[in-house]
Amino acid sequence: MSDKKTIDIDEDLYDDSFSDEEQEELYVASGPDEHNKDDDHVSFKQTIEEHAREDEDALSSNFTLRKILGGDILTADLLRRQIWLILLIVAFIIIYVANRYSCQKSMLEINKLNKELVDTKYKTLSLSSVLTERCRESHVMMLLRENNDTTLHTSDQPPYIIDTSN
């Protein structure tokens, strides 16, 4: 057993960047008699063929960072079967974000208009107060006295109706 070399392929350590010729060279370099003598050991070529088939088995439970970052997770059968659900969820997320942005924009506009409404109400209230003060009889009389306008004055007689029917 000191002469023999055993090649074990770990699914996580398998590098699929080797071409078929390089993989065959590795297979031949391991020794011609190693893979034929023991039936207990699976040959390198058989292991590669087993792992490199198109149809996948059930999703393996051991996801590694290398598989996720390498994009191997995107070829998983589970993701291929659920692609429409994933696209639907992404569409709902985009709609949610757009709706939230639209609502925030509307709320800012509503707050701005409410502030403008309150300012306008206060301005109209103050103008109404100034107008009421200026229209008061006592204020009008005071202004007439200050302007020395003697032609207008308060009547001493009560008002009466003039009959113009004749």
Side-chain angles (χ1 to χ4, degrees):
M1 186 127 190
S2 62
D3 299 25
K4 296 183 181 181
K5 296 178 185 174
T6 306
I7 298 177
D8 293 328
I9 297 179
D10 187 10
E11 190 175 319
D12 295 333
L13 298 177
Y14 176 69
D15 189 6
D16 52 332
S17 63
F18 290 117
S19 67
D20 292 336
E21 293 84 22
E22 292 173 335
Q23 290 174 359
E24 190 64 34
E25 288 175 12
L26 287 173
Y27 175 72
V28 172
S30 66
D33 54 354
E34 291 178 18
H35 55 277
N36 292 334
K37 286 187 178 179
D38 290 333
D39 290 337
D40 294 338
H41 295 287
V42 178
S43 70
F44 183 72
K45 186 174 183 177
Q46 290 172 345
T47 306
I48 290 175
E49 288 174 357
E50 182 180 315
H51 288 285
R53 61 182 185 196
E54 289 293 323
D55 58 320
E56 291 184 359
D57 290 337
L59 191 60
S60 63
S61 63
N62 55 356
F63 285 115
T64 62
L65 183 61
R66 181 177 177 176
K67 283 185 179 181
I68 294 171
L69 294 178
D72 294 339
I73 193 169
L74 296 176
T75 61
D77 188 42
L78 176 69
L79 288 178
R80 283 187 287 185
R81 283 185 285 137
Q82 303 296 334
I83 191 70
W84 294 113
L85 177 65
I86 293 169
L87 289 176
L88 181 67
I89 291 170
V90 168
F92 281 147
I93 290 172
I94 290 171
I95 290 170
Y96 174 77
V97 169
N99 187 33
R100 182 173 179 177
Y101 174 74
S102 175
C103 287
Q104 284 179 342
K105 189 175 177 183
S106 297
M107 291 298 292
L108 288 174
E109 183 71 20
I110 288 170
N111 288 340
K112 176 185 164 194
L113 290 174
N114 280 337
K115 184 177 179 183
E116 186 177 325
L117 179 65
V118 167
D119 290 344
T120 305
K121 280 183 179 181
Y122 287 141
K123 187 174 181 180
T124 57
L125 183 64
S126 83
L127 288 175
S128 174
S129 170
V130 168
L131 181 63
T132 304
E133 180 189 343
R134 286 186 182 176
C135 290
R136 200 172 288 149
E137 184 180 352
S138 61
H139 186 72
V140 171
M141 292 301 288
M142 185 180 70
L143 285 175
L144 287 174
R145 282 188 214 127
E146 286 176 3
N147 291 334
N148 294 326
D149 191 4
T150 58
T151 59
L152 295 177
H153 61 289
T154 310
S155 173
D156 295 335
Q157 300 175 357
Y160 59 91
I161 298 175
I162 302 174
D163 189 24
T164 59
S165 60
N166 282 350

